[in-house]
Amino acid sequence: MSDMHPLTRKITIIGAGNVGATFAYALMLSGLCSEIVLIDQNTAKAEGEVMDLNHAVPLTHPTRIRSGSYADCAGSAITVITAGTAQRPGETRLDLAKRNAAIFKSIIPDVVVNNPDGILLITTNPVDVLSYVSLKLSGLPDERVIGSGTILDTARFRHLLGQHFNLDARSVHAYIIGEHGDSEVPVWSLANIAGIPIEDFCAVSGCSCDDEARNQIFIQTRDAAYHIIERKGATFYAIASGMVRIVESILRDQHTILSVSSHIKGLYDIQDVFISLPCVLNRHGIQRVIRLPLNAMETEALQNSARALQEVLHSLD
């Protein structure tokens, strides 16, 4: 990032739907930023959300919150893209690709023209495909285009493992990598509690950790969105919380390791695709991608995940 806006704490959100509005609310509650701009094709919706959010400001943190146009992206540390058509019940994330890629063609160039020095954070699904599309449309360096990736899947995985062991999920260390979607990969070989590998922890805690138990935990992790969409139409609280965590690491230069989607060029023999692996996030975006010592089965599953995403990218031309 250039030094043009070294200390800016302004965040612009494109898309005032469930995810965008919930993220704006979570961001306001966090007290992380000085200014939040909400942009939506439906200007009345954006204005309404801003009015409602502003009425909470006296009860939370001093934050300037307003609606705007693409010109208002100027000077933002991060522009967060949540705009696009939602995933329909029974629809896979990859089915969404063509519809949302077309929408991004009308968004990304306008954002970058007005804010060439900022970071792009993409959350619209299919997030890995749209992060790649955003990189190509924006011309920004790799480190400044980030997809929310499997930050949510990893949180779901840790939550379910925490439930299984009756422990605080924050004490469970485990990653979901690969696509944010059906081909995602659980890294069982490195999952641990208090530094003890999961299998060993099972032995000392008296919990069942057989293949069936692990498979059930993974299936619940992978399919969580489908069950939530079936019941309430959309997912937004958990992803909004994940986005706040990403923004916090960037604005505060924390060097946090999070499982976000980034442009992979050569790791595990994977070339030119956005996929999630643990990444170090700081003020400049993605500082580096961590190469996990995966076992052979996990490596193959990750490569298959990358291939599935490349097929979608090829079909997008």
Side-chain angles (χ1 to χ4, degrees), residues 26-40:
L27 201 53
M28 176 192 69
L29 291 180
S30 74
L32 275 170
C33 46
S34 55
E35 185 175 0
I36 300 170
V37 180
L38 209 48
I39 299 171
D40 197 282

Side-chain angles (χ1 to χ4, degrees), residues 52-85:
D52 199 2
L53 287 163
N54 271 318
H55 300 159
V57 168
L59 306 166
T60 56
H61 298 277
T63 313
R64 187 181 179 208
I65 306 174
R66 61 194 176 93
S67 58
S69 64
Y70 287 113
D72 296 292
C73 293
S76 299
I78 308 165
T79 302
V80 183
I81 318 279
T82 73
T85 59

Side-chain angles (χ1 to χ4, degrees), residues 66-259:
R66 61 194 176 93
S67 58
S69 64
Y70 287 113
D72 296 292
C73 293
S76 299
I78 308 165
T79 302
V80 183
I81 318 279
T82 73
T85 59
Q87 190 175 355
R88 295 166 183 161
E91 182 180 41
T92 68
R93 291 186 182 93
L94 300 184
D95 290 336
L96 277 170
K98 285 189 171 147
R99 292 192 288 138
N100 280 336
I103 293 168
F104 271 49
K105 280 183 183 171
S106 68
I107 294 176
I108 301 297
D110 282 343
V111 169
V112 176
V113 161
N114 289 289
N115 188 18
D117 296 311
I119 288 167
L120 280 179
L121 172 57
I122 313 300
T123 65
T124 309
N125 278 321
V127 67
D128 305 293
V129 172
L130 293 173
S131 299
Y132 185 91
V133 167
S134 299
L135 179 75
K136 295 302 173 189
L137 290 171
S138 68
L140 293 177
D142 287 359
E143 68 270 16
R144 286 204 270 132
V145 181
I146 304 165
S148 53
T150 58
I151 190 166
L152 176 53
D153 314 82
T154 292
R156 288 168 174 159
F157 193 38
R158 290 171 65 201
H159 161 70
L160 289 162
L161 285 166
Q163 275 196 324
H164 184 75
F165 291 107
N166 193 27
L167 289 170
D168 179 349
R170 294 173 302 175
S171 298
V172 178
H173 306 286
Y175 286 111
I176 298 283
I177 59 172
E179 178 205 355
H180 171 53
D182 297 338
S183 69
E184 65 190 35
V185 181
V187 187
W188 286 110
S189 69
L190 299 174
N192 74 87
I193 294 166
I196 304 167
I198 287 283
E199 271 185 38
D200 298 343
F201 193 85
C202 286
V204 297
S205 67
C207 280
S208 157
C209 261
D210 58 16
D211 288 350
E212 179 55 27
R214 294 203 298 185
N215 201 36
Q216 277 309 308
I217 288 169
F218 172 59
I219 287 167
Q220 285 180 60
T221 300
R222 184 194 63 201
D223 297 348
Y226 298 122
H227 297 300
I228 295 167
I229 289 165
E230 203 177 284
R231 287 162 173 79
K232 61 171 252 183
T235 70
F236 39 91
Y237 298 127
I239 185 58
S241 303
M243 289 150 66
V244 170
R245 192 68 197 82
I246 293 167
V247 166
E248 179 186 10
S249 182
I250 294 168
L251 291 185
R252 291 187 170 159
D253 198 26
Q254 287 177 336
H255 293 74
T256 310
I257 297 175
L258 297 169
S259 58

